[in-house]
Amino acid sequence: MDAIVDLLASPAAWVALLTLIVMEVVLGIDNLIFISILSNKLPEGQRQRARRVGISLALVMRLALLTGISWIISLKNTVFSLGIYGPLDSHGERAFETDFSWKDLILLAGGLFLMWKATTEIHHSVDADEPGEQDQLLDKHKVASLTFTAAIVQILLLDIVFSVDSILTAVGMTEHVQIMYVSVIVAVGVMLVAADPLANFINRNPSVVMLALGFLLMIGMVLIGEAFGAHIPKGYIYTAMAFSAAVEGLNIWSRNARARKQGVKQPQPPAIEPGGERS
């Protein structure tokens, strides 16, 4: 209890908490985009429940990992090495390496899974083949009976990857477990509030779906690069994502403005009464 009181009275602890909350929210964007895209593939009545379950699993996963913080730190220890190293850069760091820890293997698996999933969804989005009416009924039945479980399993797999990355980031920024707990709970709370508006926005704007899938491809590549020891500044990644989102926002604004102009009805001439005079 005294330790908590000391933290509450420490300005440095509050700065660390606010910084970590921001970092956790930013890192949660990747997780949230994936959950939004996947939940939108479900029947409308199941989408919100899938998002709630997925984000709840993310919270449970992060809190569970925090309880085993020493084990999480041990994930950075090298498990095996292929002995292949890239050249040194201007900062004396290797361009890449093949010393793999459990963290690297988790990131590699997650990156490959994200790239596979994003590529599959892009293929489905651009596929011009339209199934027949009977096929649509069968697909609808399959979605209603099977896809919810499949969606939750896929969300759980990515929750593991993003949770490990999130907790290791928290460990690197502060040594106080209490701050980590609070930041994770607040960040997941923000995800919970933003989940429905984000998913609905993506669902209303098909071009945003393709942009989000492009983000997932990029995130998958970043995870694979990090697994091979390539240090990619996250600021560059999120700046690129923010710029692309801003450009797409301008496109949506422009399309909506054109649609409003085209939707304005031209004034109609007054009707002519049977007597020949205008009303």
Side-chain angles (χ1 to χ4, degrees), residues 87-109:
L88 296 175
D89 59 16
S90 58
H91 300 287
E93 296 181 348
R94 295 283 184 184
F96 68 91
E97 60 186 19
T98 55
D99 294 340
F100 292 101
S101 64
W102 282 114
K103 174 200 170 186
D104 296 328
L105 295 175
I106 291 172
L107 293 180
L108 179 60

Side-chain angles (χ1 to χ4, degrees), residues 19-131:
T19 304
L20 194 53
I21 287 174
V22 172
M23 286 296 299
E24 291 294 327
V25 169
V26 172
L27 290 173
I29 292 174
D30 308 340
N31 206 167
L32 195 55
I33 290 175
F34 181 80
I35 291 174
S36 298
I37 291 178
L38 210 58
S39 63
N40 283 342
K41 305 287 288 183
L42 297 171
E44 189 169 355
Q46 297 180 353
R47 293 175 185 175
Q48 187 180 64
R49 184 159 64 100
R51 290 190 285 268
R52 295 287 184 269
V53 172
I55 295 173
S56 299
L57 288 173
L59 176 60
V60 171
M61 193 72 60
R62 284 161 168 78
L63 294 179
L65 291 175
L66 277 174
T67 60
I69 197 72
S70 58
W71 176 75
I72 285 293
I73 295 174
S74 71
L75 291 178
K76 299 172 109 176
N77 299 331
T78 300
V79 178
F80 67 91
S81 174
L82 299 180
I84 303 173
Y85 303 97
L88 296 175
D89 59 16
S90 58
H91 300 287
E93 296 181 348
R94 295 283 184 184
F96 68 91
E97 60 186 19
T98 55
D99 294 340
F100 292 101
S101 64
W102 282 114
K103 174 200 170 186
D104 296 328
L105 295 175
I106 291 172
L107 293 180
L108 179 60
L112 291 172
F113 176 76
L114 263 185
M115 291 193 66
W116 167 77
K117 187 63 182 177
T119 303
T120 303
E121 293 299 328
I122 290 173
H123 173 71
H124 289 165
S125 297
V126 301
D127 191 356
D129 294 337
E130 293 292 338

